[in-house]
């Protein structure tokens, strides 16, 4: 069996531009996912607020309960039927972001609920409104606890982003497949792509570890 | 004519499901008075205290505090007024509840800055004064996690004082402390009492009750069974239950 990596090497600029698109899609989706996830997570804190809780629960159930690929196809192939034509990049970011937001919302809710009840009581007993207490006391502490699970979610997002190649976004996966279609060196190209994804997730892991160590050194977590 | 009571609790009832915790409590705390509430665990004394700033809502009866009706038959003051009233009622918790993401100084300044519209410099001056008062001036820049329990509780007292409250509520402030750290917290409380702070204190520290209380209130089974000056309660209680409770507690203290 002979390996031939020359197609990957000669077309390295295509793979590089694909990798950049992958990072752009992932980071944009993460921003959307965090903002939306925060809202939905907070919406599910209090079951007594029936409307907010209900809407957020339905969201969670739908977006976590169906395959990402199906959701992406609905955005890309389904919406044009209603006259809504989103650019492929937007479809990819919205699809990935809204899917991921369902997971982030549970991270947010879990982190907030893990903060000791006494913190809210102490803030309220000073005279803070529940909104002030949430913003100044609870969320800053919850954010710190969210960082490790959010890191995991970011890594999942990097890997899941390969699916956006199927809605014509020219990401790493897409560029790789283009090279395969002319060189027929599928094993080699997929191996190279895998290594590039692995580098991206590993760098993310390293950065996260640094952040966690720094938080420990700062006494912010035990 | 006497001044109206700072805290006036009338026929307060509170239950969790079928479990009656308070069964008609009457209690008054006058201006500059120190009222110490004692009693066996489960007697409802912490719940009573927590009702006094609306952390718990009593289903029946009324509480008036700082001249306002806090709760009336299960209806709590409207949110906005409640928040305003709470700025006048300081609360100290058994488990300190310092904000761990803020420095000691920020723990004390966050109240006045957020709620009294105080400027940073002014709030910091106030906070440093209060930290000096509780003996922790040099800890201003420390994080709460690096403090001992006694130091944490003293910061918590400074945090409450930063709102310049009219009344202070203490919910078993020394119960979570190692024995050798109890004294430093009680000393701060004594200082406040001597300055004329109106205080309602739930505690197991009989020494503090004997020395500092104007009135000692004994609770058992969700009721006030006896309330009198410390001399009477500790030397000549009317109620058998008071006697047996004190015997049990004082024996343990040795």
């Amino acid at each position: 069996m002979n390996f031939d990596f020359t197609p990957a090497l000669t077309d390295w600029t295509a793979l590089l531009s694909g990798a950049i698109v992958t990072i752009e899609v992932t980071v944009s989706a993460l921003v959307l996912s965090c903002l939306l996830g925060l809202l939905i997570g907070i919406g599910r804190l209090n079951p007594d607020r029936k409307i907010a809780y209900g809407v957020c629960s339905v969201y969670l159930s739908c977006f976590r309960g169906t395959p990402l690929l199906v959701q992406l196809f609905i955005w890309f192939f389904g919406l044009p039927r209603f006259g809504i034509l989103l650019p492929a990049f937007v479809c990819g970011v919205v699809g990935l972001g809204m899917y991921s937001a369902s997971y982030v919302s549970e991270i947010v809710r879990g982190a907030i609920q893990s903060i000791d009840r006494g913190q809210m009581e102490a803030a309220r007993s000073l005279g803070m409104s529940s909104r002030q207490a949430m913003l100044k006391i609870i969320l800053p502490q919850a954010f710190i606890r969210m960082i490790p699970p959010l890191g995991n979610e970011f890594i999942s997002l990097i890997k899941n982003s390969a699916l956006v190649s199927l809605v014509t976004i020219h990401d790493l996966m897409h560029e790789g497949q283009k090279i395969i279609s002319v060189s027929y060196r599928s094993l080699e190209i997929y191996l190279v792509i895998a290594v590039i994804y692995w580098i991206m997730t590993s760098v993310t892991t390293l950065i996260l570890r640094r952040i966690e160590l720094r938080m420990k050194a700062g006494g912010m977590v035990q | 004519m006497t001044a109206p009571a700072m805290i006036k609790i009338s026929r307060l009832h509170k239950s969790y499901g079928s479990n009656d915790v308070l069964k008609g409590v009457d209690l008054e705390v006058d201006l500059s008075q120190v009222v110490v509430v004692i009693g066996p665990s489960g007697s409802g004394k912490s719940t009573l205290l927590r009702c006094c700033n609306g952390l718990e809502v009593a289903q029946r009866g009324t509480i008036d505090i700082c001249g306002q009706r806090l709760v009336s038959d299960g209806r709590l003051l409207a949110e906005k007024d409640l928040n305003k009233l709470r700025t006048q009622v300081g609360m100290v918790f058994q488990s300190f509840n310092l904000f761990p993401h803020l420095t000691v100084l920020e723990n004390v300044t966050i109240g006045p800055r957020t709620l009294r519209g105080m400027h940073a410099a002014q709030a910091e001056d106030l906070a440093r004064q209060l930290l000096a008062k509780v003996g922790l001036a040099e800890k201003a820049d420390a994080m709460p996690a690096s403090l001992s329990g006694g130091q944490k509780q003293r910061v918590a007292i400074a945090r409450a004082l930063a709102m310049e409250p009219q009344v202070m509520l203490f919910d078993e402030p020394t119960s979570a402390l190692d024995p050798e750290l109890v004294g430093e917290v009680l000393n701060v409380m004594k200082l406040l009492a001597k300055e004329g702070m109106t205080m309602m204190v739930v505690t197991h520290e009989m020494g503090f009750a004997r020395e500092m209380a104007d009135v000692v209130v004994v609770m058992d089974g969700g009721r006030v069974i006896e309330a009198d000056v410390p001399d009477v309660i500790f030397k000549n209680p009317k109620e058998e239950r008071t006697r047996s409770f004190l015997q049990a507690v004082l024996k343990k203290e040795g």
Side-chain angles (χ1 to χ4, degrees):
Chain A
M1 197 161 135
N2 64 328
F3 282 95
D4 181 8
F5 284 100
T6 38
L9 294 175
T10 45
D11 249 347
W12 68 273
T13 47
L15 290 178
L16 179 67
S17 91
I20 290 170
V21 171
T22 288
I23 292 170
E24 285 170 353
V25 169
T26 308
V27 171
S28 312
L30 186 77
V31 171
L32 173 66
S33 156
C34 286
L35 294 176
L36 202 56
L38 185 66
L39 289 180
I40 294 163
I42 290 175
R44 275 173 48 79
L45 281 177
N46 186 356
D48 293 337
R49 290 193 176 151
K50 291 203 172 62
I51 295 174
Y53 184 82
V55 169
C56 294
S57 298
V58 168
Y59 182 99
L60 175 68
S61 174
C62 293
F63 283 87
R64 197 176 58 177
T66 57
L68 172 57
L69 186 58
V70 174
Q71 292 180 28
L72 281 170
F73 280 177
I74 291 174
W75 289 110
F76 190 70
F77 298 113
L79 285 190
R81 281 267 298 278
F82 300 97
I84 305 169
L85 257 170
L86 298 175
F89 184 84
V90 175
C91 277
V93 168
V94 169
L96 264 182
M98 290 188 73
Y99 170 81
S100 164
S102 63
Y103 289 91
V104 170
S105 76
E106 287 293 271
I107 292 172
V108 168
R109 190 171 67 103
I112 291 174
Q113 285 177 340
S114 77
I115 304 295
D116 184 72
R117 205 167 58 110
Q119 292 292 308
M120 183 53 98
E121 289 187 348
R124 296 306 305 274
S125 77
L126 283 174
M128 288 189 198
S129 65
S130 50
R131 183 180 300 238
Q132 284 171 322
M134 186 57 83
L135 286 176
K136 291 186 182 284
I137 305 301
I138 307 296
L139 280 180
Q141 296 181 57
F143 275 135
I144 291 167
R145 294 192 190 180
M146 284 176 212
I147 289 172
L150 275 183
N152 283 335
E153 183 56 28
F154 187 43
I155 288 169
S156 296
L157 213 49
I158 293 173
K159 295 183 294 177
N160 285 339
S161 75
L163 288 173
V164 302
S165 62
L166 293 167
V167 293
T168 75
I169 294 179
H170 293 203
D171 73 330
L172 178 57
M173 185 73 180
H174 188 95
E175 293 300 333
Q177 284 172 326
K178 268 200 326 208
I179 299 172
I180 292 169
S181 67
V182 292
S183 68
Y184 302 105
R185 286 287 168 185
S186 48
L187 175 62
E188 291 88 338
I189 301 295
Y190 282 133
L191 278 174
V192 169
I193 290 174
V195 167
I196 297 174
Y197 276 114
W198 176 81
I199 290 171
M200 289 196 265
T201 55
S202 299
V203 168
T204 309
T205 307
L206 280 177
I207 294 171
L208 282 166
R209 199 170 297 159
R210 291 279 297 267
I211 293 173
E212 279 174 55
L213 281 176
R214 191 174 298 174
M215 288 193 315
K216 270 182 195 147
M220 285 190 283
V221 286
Q222 275 78 43
Chain B
M1 203 186 93
T2 53
M6 286 296 281
I7 306 177
K8 183 171 167 49
I9 301 169
S10 305
R11 272 165 290 177
L12 205 68
H13 287 259
K14 163 88 186 159
S15 59
Y16 297 103
S18 61
N19 179 20
D20 293 327
V21 186
L22 299 176
K23 301 171 187 168
V25 174
D26 293 286
L27 185 75
E28 279 189 29
V29 182
D30 291 334
L31 185 68
S32 294
Q33 240 186 0
V34 176
V35 171
V36 175
V37 184
I38 61 173
S41 59
S43 59
K45 52 195 194 304
S46 275
T47 305
L48 179 68
L49 194 79
R50 289 165 59 81
C51 284
C52 290
N53 71 351
L55 286 178
E56 306 280 349
V57 182
Q59 286 96 343
R60 274 194 289 148
T62 58
I63 300 177
D64 295 276
I65 185 162
C66 302
Q68 267 189 294
R69 169 85 22 126
L70 169 67
V71 64
S72 171
D73 290 337
R75 281 192 318 279
L76 205 56
L77 203 58
E79 181 75 16
K80 227 175 177 172
D81 299 322
L82 176 64
N83 291 336
K84 205 162 201 177
L85 181 59
R86 277 172 169 159
T87 64
Q88 300 170 46
V89 181
M91 176 98 180
V92 175
F93 298 88
Q94 179 178 345
S95 50
F96 329 125
N97 297 343
L98 289 185
F99 306 133
H101 60 303
L102 303 177
T103 65
V104 164
L105 189 75
E106 289 164 342
N107 263 277
V108 184
T109 56
I110 191 165
R113 290 200 60 185
T114 324
L115 300 161
R116 298 174 63 199
M118 218 181 252
H119 293 297
Q122 199 186 354
E124 194 179 316
D125 277 351
L126 172 68
R128 288 192 190 279
Q129 272 172 37
L130 290 170
L131 286 173
K133 183 174 185 170
V134 300
L136 289 170
E138 79 285 2
K139 292 287 185 188
D141 299 318
M143 294 307 280
S146 69
L147 303 181
S148 73
Q151 291 172 330
K152 282 181 191 166
Q153 195 60 297
R154 286 186 281 152
V155 174
I157 293 172
R159 175 177 69 180
L161 290 175
M163 296 305 294
E164 298 183 336
Q166 298 185 42
V167 186
M168 287 282 285
L169 308 174
F170 292 85
D171 185 8
E172 304 203 27
T174 58
S175 297
L177 297 178
D178 291 333
E180 76 271 21
L181 303 176
V182 168
E184 61 191 65
V185 172
L186 292 182
N187 284 339
V188 170
M189 292 168 62
K190 286 175 190 171
L191 181 68
L192 290 182
K194 283 178 190 143
E195 287 177 357
M197 176 62 77
T198 309
M199 293 163 61
M200 182 167 162
V201 184
V202 170
T203 187
H204 293 288
E205 291 299 323
M206 295 306 147
F208 178 83
R210 205 173 309 175
E211 190 183 342
M212 299 308 298
D214 296 301
V215 178
V216 176
V217 174
V218 187
M219 285 186 69
D220 190 23
R223 288 192 177 86
V224 172
I225 56 171
E226 197 166 355
D228 214 321
V229 293
D231 257 4
V232 173
I233 297 287
F234 288 105
K235 290 190 183 130
N236 195 16
K238 293 183 202 75
E239 289 284 329
E240 179 50 40
R241 277 183 293 173
T242 305
R243 200 164 296 160
S244 59
F245 168 69
L246 287 174
Q247 256 167 15
V249 175
L250 296 175
K251 197 156 78 188
K252 207 182 72 192
E253 283 182 4

